[in-house]
Amino acid sequence: MNPLPPISRRFFAGAALGAAGGAMSAGPTRATIVQPRGGQLALSKVVSEYVRFEDEDEAFRQHLRIERDLVEREGTTLTWYNWIAYVIAEGRSPFPLMRYEGIEYSYFRRLRGLEYRIHAHNLSYVRDLETGVFAETVDNPMTGRRVKAMPTLLLNDPGTLGSPKGFRNLRSDGKTFVQPYRQFRIEDELMKLDSVRTAPPDWPVTHIENSCQWVRLADFENPAITSLPTHFAGSYVFPFPEWLGMEGIKGHMLGFYDGRKLNGPQDLPREFLARTEREHPELLQPRWAEFDRPVAWLDG
């Protein structure tokens, strides 16, 4: 086995991770390094090790700490991102069209044990690809037309119930669990999480999101940190927005993004925050009313 970096020896020896105290104490962590086949490898200059949690409860706890917050009752997470959107049209090479700057605000409650009801909304503004200024119009080279650039608001996510068993869409019958792909791995002094999120079943088929999130391994090992200071990058596939006016052209959009968790709306860049305070102030706070919507299989 390749030697682990000294910073991780305590963790893999059984360090207690998760929220401190009470029902959310993570207890002894059991994790192993996934060994490559073929015997001992020569030591590399870069430490790169795959991590497998033998306890699914523990894997879910650590996923929640990285992506959201391992809370006792309820909490929120605000992430801020920038991304470039590409047009992927049949018969033409992909090309970058515009930039976006946006946020995802998620809010969640622990219902029982390790079951969390999770809701979220997104808001993204178009920026000019070259200058970076907020764009009022976009030239569509596929149609030769200039169109009004519309913000992207995702406000109709029905929410999910997340647990170590997987995620259940709240608009479904509650019988189908979706277990997203996730892989923890150590890279030098970072803990990384590769993960995939799919769209709700009633959204367009052309939707998927892949991300790599990372935190300092020293922070990951600290059980007092229930919401880790995560940075991330990833890709997002989605249908052509209606306002782009693709006029029957077949294809989809592909976005490459990067971003980070913030402590709250007060930490947003001034220009983005000022515009949102003018145009969408209600999206700078959690939409707790989403939890008032009844879910028959959950509330019954």
Side-chain angles (χ1 to χ4, degrees):
M1 176 182 292
N2 291 345
L4 295 175
I7 196 169
S8 67
R9 292 187 186 278
R10 300 185 315 279
F11 172 68
F12 289 97
L17 290 175
M24 297 309 294
S25 178
T29 296
R30 297 188 301 276
T32 59
I33 299 298
V34 178
Q35 291 299 298
R37 296 181 179 179
Q40 182 73 35
L41 296 179
L43 182 64
S44 170
K45 291 182 179 180
V46 176
V47 175
S48 179
E49 305 284 1
Y50 289 91
V51 178
R52 181 180 66 251
F53 291 94
E54 297 176 2
D55 185 336
E56 285 299 321
D57 287 1
E58 190 62 31
F60 179 76
R61 287 188 183 99
Q62 302 312 327
H63 192 158
L64 203 62
R65 291 176 74 219
I66 289 177
E67 195 162 271
R68 292 185 173 86
D69 192 347
L70 185 60
V71 293
E72 283 279 359
R73 182 176 177 273
E74 68 179 26
T76 65
T77 298
L78 178 66
T79 56
W80 165 75
Y81 48 77
N82 280 268
W83 50 295
I84 295 178
Y86 291 77
V87 172
I88 312 294
E90 290 188 8
R92 175 160 179 170
S93 297
F95 62 91
L97 182 66
M98 56 196 168
R99 299 184 65 92
Y100 276 101
E101 180 183 11
I103 58 171
E104 177 174 291
Y105 212 148
S106 64
Y107 19 96
F108 34 89
R109 287 177 179 166
R110 185 168 72 95
L111 304 183
R112 60 188 73 85
L114 281 176
E115 287 188 330
Y116 287 81
R117 180 170 173 173
I118 304 167
H119 292 273
H121 64 260
N122 289 67
L123 167 65
S124 298
Y125 300 121
V126 178
R127 286 187 177 274
D128 183 84
L129 187 64
E130 302 297 334
T131 66
V133 301
F134 285 131
E136 296 184 0
T137 60
V138 169
D139 289 321
N140 184 346
M142 299 294 295
T143 63
R145 295 183 179 180
R146 177 173 292 183
V147 294
K148 185 177 180 180
M150 301 296 294
T152 296
L153 284 79
L154 300 180
L155 307 178
N156 61 344
D157 188 329
T160 59
L161 185 70
S163 75
K165 294 181 180 180
F167 291 82
R168 286 180 284 174
N169 185 273
L170 296 183
R171 199 174 288 163
S172 69
D173 59 10
K175 297 179 180 179
T176 301
F177 289 84
V178 177
Q179 186 62 268
Y181 174 82
R182 63 176 168 228
Q183 175 65 63
F184 294 87
R185 56 190 173 92
I186 292 175
E187 182 180 305
D188 290 336
E189 296 185 355
L190 298 175
M191 176 63 82
K192 291 190 170 183
L193 171 61
D194 301 316
S195 60
V196 176
R197 291 199 295 182
T198 55
D202 53 346
W203 281 22
V205 174
T206 310
H207 261 290
I208 196 167
E209 182 177 355
N210 170 79
S211 69
C212 177
Q213 306 174 74
W214 62 88
V215 297
R216 292 196 316 131
L217 190 56
D219 290 334
F220 185 83
E221 291 179 325
N222 185 347
I225 304 176
T226 62
S227 179
L228 289 161
T230 305
H231 290 70
F232 54 83
S235 58
Y236 181 54
V237 175
F238 60 107
F240 291 138
E242 290 185 8
W243 59 264
L244 198 51
M246 294 303 275
E247 300 178 350
I249 297 172
K250 294 182 179 180
H252 57 270
M253 303 294 291
L254 172 64
F256 288 98
Y257 63 84
D258 68 277
R260 56 182 291 189
K261 270 188 191 177
L262 301 180
N263 293 319
Q266 71 279 358
D267 289 345
L268 286 165
R270 275 180 277 182
E271 188 180 26
F272 183 94
L273 179 59
R275 178 172 178 178
T276 306
E277 287 176 334
R278 291 193 309 270
E279 299 180 13
H280 301 284
E282 72 283 359
L283 300 185
L284 290 172
Q285 55 190 339
R287 301 162 68 208
W288 290 113
E290 294 292 297
F291 290 84
D292 296 334
R293 289 193 284 108
V295 179
W297 56 267
L298 181 61
D299 302 327

